[in-house]
Amino acid sequence: QRPVGRGVALPAGPDLRHFLRAAAARQPGPSQELPPEPGFPPGAPKVYLETYGCQMNVNDTEIAWAILQKNGYARTKELDEADVVLLVTCSVREKAEQAIWNRLRHLKALKARRPQARAPLRVGILGCMAERLKEEILHREKLVDVVAGPDAYRDLPRLLAVAESGQQAANVLLSLDETYADILPVQTSAGGTTAFVSIMRGCDNMCSYCIVPFTRGRERSRPIASILQEVRMLSDQGVKEVTLLGQNVNSFRDLSEVQFESVAAPGLSRGFSTVYKAKPGGLRFSHLLDQVSRIDPEMRIRFTSPHPKDFPDEAIKLSETSSDHLPQVLQLIQERHNICKQLHLPAQSGSTRVLEAMRRGYTREAYLELVHHVRDSIPGVSLSSDFITGFCGETEEDHQQTVSLLREVRYNVGFLFAYSMRQKTRAHHRLQDDVPTAVKKRRLEQLIATFREEAARANAALVGQAQLVLVEGPSKRSASELCGRNDGNIKVIFPDTELEDAAECRAPGRAQPGDYVMVKVTSASSQTLRGVPLCRTTLSRAAASH
């Protein structure tokens, strides 16, 4: 895995804009020192944050930075300027951990080169790898000063203070209730057009291959009120798309409201089971999705990652004493114009035998029945999925069943990986990692080729159609083109030209990040759509015209 946003730049907030304007005005020579940025005292320790792995880790980076910022730290995007280097790490596959060990070797050399006149460089490992390998990290080459698990970010200022005295410091305690609900993350997404909002932490599913329950702990959900506060703040800042984030978002259960403690647990998707007992009480994901979608009609709402088991057919009672019901999640997606018609349905395998070994709680047939139900409920829905190839005991026949599932479902987006055995998991204790590496590689290559072939066909069906695109910024390959994503989360590229405004509220002009543009699709590949822009518009107007 490559790091996400290695050396993430300072957030594009007022502090940075002021700093850049002032720097441009001064244009100092080599001997002239810049004064400290607004809000940071002179000599504030500078922290450099580096993020690896999933979007949850990006969100954790923002939480950790928010905590450090309040405790007097400044942030730098220059590694050589840093007093503290923090790596937010991933443990889901061996390759991800190896990237961290390699990076630590580089940081060891950086530590050794540091001038004696400067305070010693402090290095910290945060997140899942810290949780999984605390002892090894602290004792291997004595390089790391601070180790903090995913539930210990509030303790970072204390841990760094201990490290400043020359001692190693660690906190990898997992919490049953920590959600960082009172900490508003400092958003770092480019352009401020999109943002991720963490709604829960941990996972209770205990799939046999997965390390997440052991590195991130048990499921617990943020109070809905704190989530709504964060989404409103993002709306006020002009953010146009929010993704609700969690390991298993559709098992969300807010227990902060006493009056909802006795609400019955919702059912599971038809043909699905779980390793844990049904959990009664609390406000559920459909309550949250309903409330979030009402905040701003011009803000797109997405969510990831759900578990296929948690899409019950029945509507949910608002309370035990009320006869009112809330629509189930699929119905909300279909009815609300600003909830994207896009769903992530992680399959992991197309073989019922392998799914049983993975403890996924469903058969191939039940999964396909859910896919048909989703497509019947949400016409035109875009589907994405996760797949693991080469899991313990997977035969060639099992593999071919996964290939056939990819062909049958025809996903728009896919995330495919070779299996990597993780210590502590049920598979590590009970199963044999018996598929040779070369076989895993061959099977993965076949899955990727099959996915691309089918995704290209799925995307080709959009040629000739008009798609509403949220502009994210210039295309990486051409400054004369813009890039954005459609409702189905597929990348769309189109020429940057002057456009009329559909509502005629604005003069003709070029589209900017955060604008909605109607684009007629002219060509498609497995990953990208290309088209010609028709006009600027709004999310509400586009929905009304369909």
Side-chain angles (χ1 to χ4, degrees):
Q1 287 197 354
R2 292 184 298 174
V4 177
R6 173 169 286 185
V8 179
L10 286 159
D15 280 353
L16 178 62
R17 286 196 295 271
H18 179 89
F19 177 77
L20 292 175
R21 281 198 300 268
R26 285 190 299 270
Q27 295 184 330
S31 62
Q32 183 178 344
E33 289 188 8
L34 294 177
E37 295 176 47
F40 295 122
K46 293 182 179 179
V47 61
Y48 177 92
L49 288 152
E50 200 164 277
T51 309
Y52 294 75
C54 70
Q55 189 60 48
M56 290 292 294
N57 282 358
V58 177
N59 189 260
D60 277 10
T61 302
E62 294 169 349
I63 289 169
W65 168 229
I67 291 166
L68 291 172
Q69 189 180 40
K70 286 182 179 177
N71 281 270
Y73 284 81
R75 189 166 181 179
T76 179
K77 61 179 179 179
E78 300 298 333
L79 185 57
D80 289 339
E81 290 182 358
D83 302 299
V84 178
V85 176
L86 299 177
L87 310 184
V88 184
T89 63
C90 174
S91 249
V92 73
R93 279 174 291 281
E94 186 178 351
K95 189 177 179 182
E97 290 185 352
Q98 192 54 50
I100 301 300
W101 291 120
N102 293 341
R103 188 62 168 153
L104 285 175
R105 280 195 287 274
H106 173 78
L107 293 176
K108 183 179 182 180
L110 189 70
K111 260 191 167 186
R113 294 197 310 267
R114 194 170 177 88
Q116 288 189 344
R118 296 180 67 185
L121 178 67
R122 285 165 283 158
V123 175
I125 297 292
L126 277 53
C128 294
M129 190 171 165
E131 192 67 45
R132 195 178 91 78
L133 295 172
K134 180 189 87 169
E135 297 300 329
E136 185 176 353
I137 291 168
L138 287 174
H139 296 132
R140 191 161 159 174
E141 300 174 348
K142 302 289 184 184
L143 169 67
V144 175
D145 305 288
V146 168
V147 173
D151 292 347
Y153 299 142
R154 290 181 195 272
D155 202 23
L156 273 173
R158 183 190 70 83
L159 295 173
L160 287 168
V162 171
E164 203 166 339
S165 70
Q167 304 175 64
Q168 289 182 311
N171 182 346
V172 293
L173 294 174
L174 286 173
S175 168
L176 291 174
D177 52 21
E178 178 63 89
T179 63
Y180 300 106
D182 59 320
I183 295 173
L184 291 177
V186 179
Q187 299 288 340
T188 57
S189 58
T193 298
T194 63
F196 289 81
V197 173
S198 176
I199 66 169
M200 61 189 299
R201 299 178 74 83
C203 185
D204 288 348
N205 288 320
M206 301 300 290
C207 300
S208 64
Y209 55 83
C210 188
I211 192 69
V212 167
F214 304 97
T215 59
R216 288 190 168 269
R218 303 297 297 271
E219 276 181 15
R220 62 270 190 208
S221 302
R222 275 177 72 179
I224 284 182
S226 77
I227 298 169
L228 298 180
Q229 177 193 4
E230 186 174 343
V231 175
R232 287 190 192 101
M233 179 192 75
L234 293 169
S235 173
D236 291 343
Q237 291 174 0
V239 169
K240 291 296 181 67
E241 180 179 292
V242 160
T243 300
L244 305 177
L245 194 63
Q247 237 74 46
N248 189 179
V249 289
N250 51 344
S251 66
F252 177 88
R253 188 169 65 116
D254 171 15
L255 296 170
S256 64
E257 307 264 355
V258 176
Q259 66 268 36
F260 296 106
E261 284 181 352
S262 61
V263 175
L268 299 175
S269 307
R270 195 179 302 120
F272 287 67
S273 62
T274 181
V275 296
Y276 55 80
K277 293 180 181 178
K279 303 171 188 174
L283 292 167
R284 300 289 173 160
F285 184 59
S286 55
H287 296 85
L288 173 64
L289 195 58
D290 171 58
Q291 293 293 312
V292 168
S293 68
R294 294 175 187 272
I295 288 175
D296 183 348
E298 290 301 311
M299 176 188 274
R300 276 180 172 171
I301 308 300
R302 302 188 192 275
F303 56 88
T304 197
S305 175
H307 191 288
K309 75 179 190 309
D310 292 309
F311 287 105
D313 291 337
E314 70 271 16
I316 297 174
K317 288 184 70 174
L318 289 173
S319 73
E320 285 295 304
T321 57
S322 170
S323 59
D324 294 332
H325 288 73
L326 191 69
Q328 45 97 339
V329 170
L330 299 181
Q331 188 179 344
L332 279 171
I333 296 172
Q334 194 276 324
E335 289 178 354
R336 302 287 165 86
H337 77 275
N338 61 335
I339 303 179
C340 291
K341 311 300 182 277
Q342 174 245 330
L343 207 55
H344 188 61
L345 289 180
Q348 306 301 357
S349 175
S351 162
T352 294
R353 196 184 68 80
V354 173
L355 289 169
E356 185 177 356
M358 289 178 164
R359 299 182 94 200
R360 290 291 289 170
Y362 53 86
T363 62
R364 173 194 177 97
E365 291 72 25
Y367 180 85
L368 281 170
E369 184 179 344
L370 175 63
V371 169
H372 295 319
H373 175 52
V374 166
R375 284 184 162 150
D376 288 343
S377 303
I378 312 168
V381 66
S382 171
L383 294 182
S384 59
S385 193
D386 298 334
F387 285 92
I388 297 170
T389 189
F391 185 65
C392 307
E394 183 188 71
T395 65
E396 196 63 30
E397 182 182 350
D398 295 324
H399 167 64
Q400 291 303 326
Q401 288 181 32
T402 301
V403 172
S404 72
L405 185 71
L406 282 167
R407 293 205 184 280
E408 187 166 348
V409 177
R410 190 172 284 178
Y411 300 96
N412 298 87
V413 178
F415 304 92
L416 304 100
F417 305 97
Y419 175 62
S420 176
M421 177 75 85
R422 303 280 77 199
Q423 291 178 353
K424 296 186 180 179
T425 62
R426 185 182 178 88
H428 182 258
H429 291 298
R430 305 282 184 91
L431 303 174
Q432 293 292 317
D433 186 9
D434 53 2
V435 179
T437 301
V439 174
K440 289 179 182 178
K441 184 173 183 288
R442 173 181 59 79
R443 290 178 182 174
L444 179 60
E445 288 170 354
Q446 186 178 3
L447 290 188
I448 291 171
T450 303
F451 159 72
R452 286 180 174 164
E453 188 180 323
E454 296 303 325
R457 288 194 177 113
N459 292 343
L462 299 175
V463 173
Q465 294 185 20
Q467 296 283 304
L468 184 66
V469 177
L470 176 59
V471 179
E472 294 177 354
S475 167
K476 289 181 180 178
R477 295 190 177 182
S478 171
S480 64
E481 294 180 316
L482 293 174
C483 179
R485 292 184 181 271
N486 71 352
D487 191 76
N489 210 25
I490 302 167
K491 185 186 293 185
V492 183
I493 296 173
F494 58 94
D496 181 7
T497 58
E498 194 165 279
L499 297 172
E500 297 288 336
D501 186 72
E504 298 181 352
C505 297
R506 295 181 291 175
R510 294 181 184 275
Q512 302 298 317
D515 283 348
Y516 289 103
V517 174
M518 198 62 75
V519 176
K520 185 176 182 179
V521 179
T522 56
S523 66
S525 69
S526 62
Q527 295 179 296
T528 307
L529 303 175
R530 284 186 168 273
V532 293
L534 303 177
C535 63
R536 289 180 298 172
T537 184
T538 66
L539 192 55
S540 303
R541 177 173 285 273
S545 65
H546 273 66

